[in-house]
Amino acid sequence: QADERMRRAITIAETTYGPEHGETAALLATYGILLRRMGRFDEGIDIVRRVIAIDEKVLAPNHPTRAIH
């Protein structure tokens, strides 16, 4: 159920803010953590890679969030 709700929230963020917005990236990062906790590591890695790609595109190289992801 949490997985379904997170996917819905991501869809809403993508529609509202765009697929490469910071809010979308934040939800994706949380979803990646959820997938890892559920043992779905391959899916989680793909999500984290997407977060990193968004961060690299929209954030300055020295932005603190980039150090976290």
Side-chain angles (χ1 to χ4, degrees), residues 14-44:
E14 289 174 331
T15 302
T16 304
Y17 303 112
E20 295 182 344
H21 191 277
E23 292 295 328
T24 303
L27 285 169
L28 286 164
T30 301
Y31 186 47
I33 292 167
L34 173 67
L35 290 171
R36 186 185 73 204
R37 289 184 179 171
M38 294 171 67
R40 294 164 54 186
F41 300 107
D42 290 341
E43 292 173 76

Side-chain angles (χ1 to χ4, degrees), residues 3-63:
D3 178 35
E4 182 180 324
R5 289 182 182 177
M6 280 301 304
R7 284 186 283 121
R8 177 73 178 131
I10 292 165
T11 299
I12 291 169
E14 289 174 331
T15 302
T16 304
Y17 303 112
E20 295 182 344
H21 191 277
E23 292 295 328
T24 303
L27 285 169
L28 286 164
T30 301
Y31 186 47
I33 292 167
L34 173 67
L35 290 171
R36 186 185 73 204
R37 289 184 179 171
M38 294 171 67
R40 294 164 54 186
F41 300 107
D42 290 341
E43 292 173 76
I45 288 170
D46 290 341
I47 294 295
V48 170
R49 286 184 178 137
R50 182 173 169 201
V51 171
I52 292 169
I54 293 169
D55 285 354
E56 288 175 345
K57 186 171 186 175
V58 301
L59 299 176
N62 60 347
H63 194 281

